[in-house]
Amino acid sequence: MPRLLVLVLALCLIGGAAFAGLLALQSCGARLPLLPGWLAASCPDPAARDAAARLEALRRDQDLLRAEIRVAEQALSRLRCEAVHETPEPPPPARAEPPAPAIDAEAWRARDVGMLDGCWSLDSDYRVQDMETGAVTDYTEWNMCFDGAGQGRATMRATSGSTCEGPIGGRFDGSGRLVLEESGNLGCSDQTAIFRRIITCSLLPDGAADCSSHQPEAGRTVPVRLRRSPGAP
């Protein structure tokens, strides 16, 4: 009887161990053809474990990045930036134009037209209006060059780039004023023309001349200042 009892107990222990082993295999996804599939699987799939591990690693990386961003924001909040204004280099000094020589007052008083020999500049905000189109043209350069006999040419340059040129002669009138008279209308490169002008000048104490430019055909008179061109003899 005791031997039978021991044998029964031994069989029970063996059966229990086998049953526990089967349960462990079933819990890890093992399937045995001899067992029905009524035991529920509890071990996760390896792919699921890998995905969970990667997700956890990404969460840790995200937490680290957030911590680094907070540190950077705190560092930026402590910065005090000062604007730096660079001082531009000063422009090079303008090239000084040589002073214009004074008009020969003695030759003027002697009414010697030979004093005109050389080139002259006329200072005036000169503008003309086309009588047909109404277009206004501004001229910023007005020069005259003469020979020793008082004969020369007048040249004008407009802001548009067009130029006008024509003959002009000089003489003194009975009152000692210098008269510069164009022989005809001044033809221009843009196919227009400036009505001829008679320019009458009086000598000024500063070595220049005060003039009035009159256009008989247009009935227009404008003030002009006559001076030797810089560098002229």
Side-chain angles (χ1 to χ4, degrees):
M1 186 68 179
R3 289 182 180 178
L4 180 61
L5 182 59
V6 170
L7 180 60
V8 172
L9 290 175
L11 291 174
C12 289
L13 287 174
I14 293 171
F19 186 71
L22 289 173
L23 287 178
L25 289 173
Q26 181 71 16
S27 66
C28 291
R31 292 290 186 272
L32 295 177
L34 299 177
L35 294 176
W38 56 270
L39 293 174
S42 60
C43 280
D45 183 70
R49 285 199 304 270
D50 293 342
R54 288 196 299 271
L55 181 60
E56 183 62 26
L58 289 174
R59 285 174 178 166
R60 288 195 300 270
D61 292 343
Q62 187 181 48
D63 292 340
L64 289 174
L65 286 175
R66 286 176 175 170
E68 290 176 0
I69 291 172
R70 284 195 296 272
V71 171
E73 288 176 342
Q74 291 171 1
L76 285 174
S77 66
R78 292 192 294 269
L79 289 178
R80 293 294 182 267
C81 298
E82 295 182 2
V84 178
H85 302 284
E86 294 185 359
T87 303
E89 291 291 332
R95 185 176 179 181
E97 189 177 76
I103 295 175
D104 187 344
E106 185 176 346
W108 185 295
R109 286 191 291 269
R111 303 180 185 181
D112 179 9
V113 293
M115 56 150 286
L116 288 174
D117 189 17
C119 293
W120 302 74
S121 297
L122 293 94
D123 300 330
S124 173
D125 294 328
Y126 204 88
R127 59 172 46 188
V128 298
Q129 184 174 22
D130 191 299
M131 297 183 65
E132 294 182 359
T133 65
V136 176
T137 304
D138 293 304
Y139 290 85
T140 55
E141 296 181 28
W142 188 2
N143 301 292
M144 298 177 183
C145 291
F146 296 90
D147 59 19
Q151 299 302 308
R153 294 189 70 80
T155 305
M156 301 187 74
R157 182 178 298 276
T159 54
S160 63
S162 65
T163 56
C164 309
E165 187 176 355
I168 190 169
R171 59 182 174 84
F172 283 94
D173 66 10
S175 61
R177 296 180 303 175
L178 178 65
V179 179
L180 307 174
E181 186 171 356
E182 294 169 335
S183 58
N185 296 340
L186 211 63
C188 302
S189 61
D190 60 359
Q191 309 306 314
T192 61
I194 299 176
F195 285 131
R196 74 181 186 94
R197 291 161 296 196
I198 301 173
I199 303 167
T200 305
C201 304
S202 299
L203 185 62
L204 294 173
D206 64 357
D210 183 38
C211 310
S212 63
S213 173
H214 177 64
Q215 293 175 297
E217 288 81 358
R220 178 172 178 251
T221 301
V222 296
V224 181
R225 180 181 173 88
L226 176 71
R227 58 183 174 82
R228 279 280 188 183
S229 296

